[in-house]
Amino acid sequence: MNDTVRVRFAPSPTGYLHVGNLRTALYDYLLARRLGGTWVLRIEDTDRNRHLEGAEKALMAVLRWCGLEWDEGPDKGGPYGPYRQSERLPLYRAAADTLLAQGNAYHCFCTSERLDAMRKAAQAEGRDEKYDRTCMHLASGDVQARLAAGVPHTVRLKVPAGETLILDDLVRGRVEFQSDLADDQVLLKSDGFPTYHLAVVVDDHQMRITHVLRGEEWLSSAPKHLLLHRFLGYPLPHFAHLPLILNPDRSKLSKRQGNVAVEDYRDHGYFPEALVNFIAFLGWNPGHERELLTVEELTQEFSLQRVGKSGAVFNQEKLHWFNEQYLKAMPGERLLATLRPLLAARGWGDHDDIFLACVIDLMRERVAFVHEIPEKAGWFFEDPTSYEEATVRKRWKPDSAGWLRDFVAVLESLPAFDHATLEPAARAYAEGRGGKLGDLVHPLRLATTGVGGGPGLFELMEVLGREACLRRIQRALEMLV
RNA sequence: GUCCCUAUCGUCUAGUCGGCCUAGGACUCCGCCCUUUCAAGGCGGCAACACGGGUUCGAAUCCCGUUGGGGACACCA
């Protein structure tokens, strides 16, 4: 155990939590917990153009919904705050000044229009699209004059020539980059805000981060970060670039091809435990064959050594299966709490807990989501008003009405109306009539539920009660004859 | 286009030091069993080491190349 391990999750508040980011957060959390370290939440809100009201709160809410609680963050403070980059501007300014003073950065007065035109021209000629360093060659008097005149400017990193930059990545091993290929990255924007590249390096260092976990899309900007660490005199944290989560066509998981927001899955009725369990296995596995693991178990088993290198397709069907498994094992009270508002929305709010608990017991083996209970078994809450056509055709025989009519007397005379009483009575009745149990059961199911499938007939009749069953049989007799 | 990453069933993956792999598990699909229905469950089946060279007695496992896939090339993260 190492109590100095510090891992951060650094999302930008975009309005929703991308499932890829959820996985990064999960691995952060698992790693921090596994190593007895600290998990830090830092908000990367350095893009004022994309500022969204309420996004930060929503982000924290959905993280908590997933069961992931951080140790330090904007809402709970900590020794290395503030935890919102927009509140740390002087720190980035200071770092930029240091780089400027060292000669490892320079002021750039180029307008975005000029930059765009330059890139376009470079592209047309098939040249590299790197910044042409016009402003790097400005005379220092000239720079001072423009600065004094308040000309809008950025600060750029001066990438040294001819270097081989080496990253020792915890999942990818040694990766080499040539500095000549790197662009003179803007570090400080003209609005005074830092870009990601500056802010992440400054904050990771000042927040004493030891392990940087992030998506593979960041791998190509790692050399810039390597340089920044060196220039600023910061020791290197451990880096782990995680494999991407993919669309079915193997491109990076995108909004275009289905749901990417954790909120979407939450709203569709997925359980956080199922989502988290599923997400954990996208790019990692414990090395044994058990797949249903709680967060506590994941914490025990997690290690970066078992994180894979290649992208993983987000398989909706498997997630569905996970949800089904969790629902099956979920305590009844929790399912009931979820079910109640769903029923109320359909005007079926007036049922007591005992009844609903029975419904849940009978349905949990047959659904993957709580909302499927009212969808597939509305007849628990309302007498059927129609009868599934295909089932009528298949199960309603010419003598079914007779079978049912005579069985009514049996039902009325039963000493108790539970499945233990109903089943033998039904068997005896069928035998006495010289038929099979199915001759009674199928029409009876159709009459009481209106559909061909569902829980055991006698169990369901017990839950429905004698009165409702008799009423439904009467009605079916009127409508099906 | 340039750079970087990557490559086992349709999908998630096991395969960590090459032989125990006629390549294992899970999801999906199909069949059978169970059964009053529908499910669930049990059992079984289809299905993969991208290709080509090496190294080696022996390679899914190591090396090289090819091809495929992906990512990054912003005053967005």
Side-chain angles (χ1 to χ4, degrees):
Chain A
M1 291 296 152
N2 183 345
D3 57 6
T4 65
V5 165
R6 294 176 56 83
V7 191
R8 90 299 198 272
F9 178 52
S12 60
T14 54
Y16 65 91
L17 179 59
H18 189 281
V19 295
N21 285 141
L22 168 61
R23 196 206 38 195
T24 303
L26 210 214
Y27 288 6
D28 283 339
Y29 174 91
L30 296 176
L31 184 72
R33 291 286 172 272
R34 179 83 186 90
L35 299 179
T38 303
W39 188 35
V40 179
L41 174 64
R42 181 175 74 221
I43 303 296
E44 309 229 322
D45 56 348
T46 55
D47 185 357
R48 333 167 291 181
N49 298 323
R50 289 210 281 179
H51 177 76
L52 251 174
E53 207 55 57
E56 181 187 309
K57 273 187 86 172
L59 179 78
M60 295 197 286
V62 76
L63 232 27
R64 287 193 165 111
W65 176 79
C66 291
L68 305 180
E69 184 70 40
W70 49 96
D71 305 305
E72 297 171 22
D75 61 330
K76 51 195 344 170
Y80 302 102
Y83 292 90
R84 221 172 260 122
Q85 291 187 327
S86 59
E87 295 169 7
R88 302 171 62 83
L89 266 25
L91 265 17
Y92 312 126
R93 174 89 255 175
D97 286 342
T98 301
L99 293 165
L100 250 9
Q102 294 168 336
N104 286 320
Y106 58 92
H107 295 278
C108 176
F109 301 93
C110 294
T111 61
S112 1
E113 290 73 34
R114 188 185 107 75
L115 260 17
D116 285 345
M118 186 195 75
R119 265 191 290 269
K120 215 159 278 174
Q123 199 170 32
E125 294 168 39
R127 280 186 293 110
D128 219 7
E129 291 177 36
K130 281 167 61 178
Y131 176 58
D132 63 8
R133 294 191 149 176
T134 302
C135 293
M136 192 182 90
H137 301 112
L138 254 29
S140 98
D142 192 359
V143 171
Q144 291 315 316
R146 293 199 206 196
L147 253 23
V151 179
H153 63 276
T154 63
V155 174
R156 282 183 187 272
L157 173 67
K158 186 169 155 188
V159 175
E163 282 198 42
T164 299
L165 273 0
I166 294 164
L167 171 70
D168 271 306
D169 192 89
L170 257 22
V171 346
R172 271 151 232 287
R174 180 190 169 104
V175 185
E176 290 186 8
F177 304 88
Q178 296 308 317
S179 69
D180 301 279
L181 268 5
D183 201 357
D184 281 356
Q185 184 63 50
V186 168
L187 301 175
L188 224 45
K189 305 184 241 182
S190 54
D191 64 5
F193 277 64
T195 57
Y196 168 83
H197 307 284
L198 210 217
V200 75
V201 167
V202 169
D203 287 344
D204 284 346
H205 173 255
Q206 302 200 335
M207 293 183 177
R208 306 288 186 272
I209 299 305
T210 56
H211 298 255
V212 173
L213 272 57
R214 51 167 39 157
E216 195 197 317
E217 71 263 34
W218 293 109
L219 192 55
S220 40
S221 44
K224 292 164 185 172
H225 306 155
L226 257 20
L227 247 18
L228 250 12
H229 274 92
R230 186 168 89 203
F231 293 156
L232 262 5
Y234 301 161
L236 238 35
H238 297 290
F239 285 98
H241 286 91
L242 274 15
L244 261 19
I245 297 183
L246 274 23
N247 290 311
D249 70 357
R250 305 202 75 85
S251 57
K252 185 167 128 183
L253 188 65
S254 67
K255 227 171 181 172
R256 255 288 196 233
Q257 300 187 41
N259 296 324
V260 299
V262 172
E263 287 86 339
D264 291 333
Y265 292 95
R266 180 193 62 197
D267 298 345
H268 284 189
Y270 285 92
F271 296 114
E273 295 90 334
L275 216 211
V276 165
N277 195 158
F278 167 71
I279 278 288
F281 277 76
L282 252 31
W284 171 88
N285 80 84
H288 56 67
E289 290 176 351
R290 282 205 310 131
E291 294 191 282
L292 262 11
L293 299 175
T294 63
V295 172
E296 292 67 37
E297 292 170 316
L298 290 171
T299 301
Q300 286 312 306
E301 314 231 21
F302 188 76
S303 91
L304 284 173
Q305 281 132 36
R306 297 203 64 88
V307 172
K309 300 177 186 183
S310 50
V313 172
F314 190 94
N315 184 190
Q316 301 276 349
E317 284 164 335
K318 186 95 183 232
L319 171 58
H320 186 275
W321 177 81
F322 269 104
N323 210 66
E324 199 175 0
Q325 298 303 312
Y326 273 88
L327 184 144
K328 228 172 288 190
M330 192 76 66
E333 311 85 67
R334 185 155 154 212
L335 297 179
L336 195 146
T338 310
L339 179 60
R340 275 224 170 275
L342 263 27
L343 294 179
R346 290 173 178 253
W348 294 335
D350 56 340
H351 294 281
D352 61 66
D353 287 357
I354 311 259
F355 174 78
L356 294 181
C358 293
V359 171
I360 286 167
D361 277 348
L362 294 183
M363 289 305 292
R364 74 189 314 153
E365 290 288 312
R366 275 159 260 266
V367 295
F369 296 95
V370 175
H371 65 75
E372 289 181 329
I373 294 176
E375 285 164 10
K376 297 174 84 159
W379 46 264
F380 267 120
F381 314 103
E382 209 168 67
D383 287 2
T385 53
S386 64
Y387 303 89
E388 209 170 60
E389 205 188 307
T391 309
V392 174
R393 237 180 294 125
K394 186 173 175 192
R395 305 293 195 188
W396 192 261
K397 301 286 162 51
D399 57 350
S400 291
W403 273 79
L404 242 42
R405 231 186 309 269
D406 297 341
F407 190 59
V408 166
V410 176
L411 290 179
E412 282 170 336
S413 68
L414 247 28
F417 206 78
D418 53 54
H419 70 274
T421 310
L422 282 161
E423 178 157 0
R427 288 190 187 277
Y429 172 78
E431 200 175 325
R433 213 177 160 103
K436 290 180 300 186
L437 187 60
D439 295 328
L440 171 67
V441 159
H442 297 304
L444 192 50
R445 171 183 297 282
L446 189 59
T448 48
T449 71
V451 295
L457 178 65
F458 306 112
E459 281 81 4
L460 118 221
M461 287 177 71
E462 174 180 343
V463 173
L464 251 20
R466 181 168 356 218
E467 194 191 332
C469 288
L470 291 171
R471 184 175 69 234
R472 291 179 182 200
I473 292 167
Q474 282 315 325
R475 170 122 192 212
L477 251 13
E478 288 158 22
M479 295 190 65
L480 286 172
V481 178

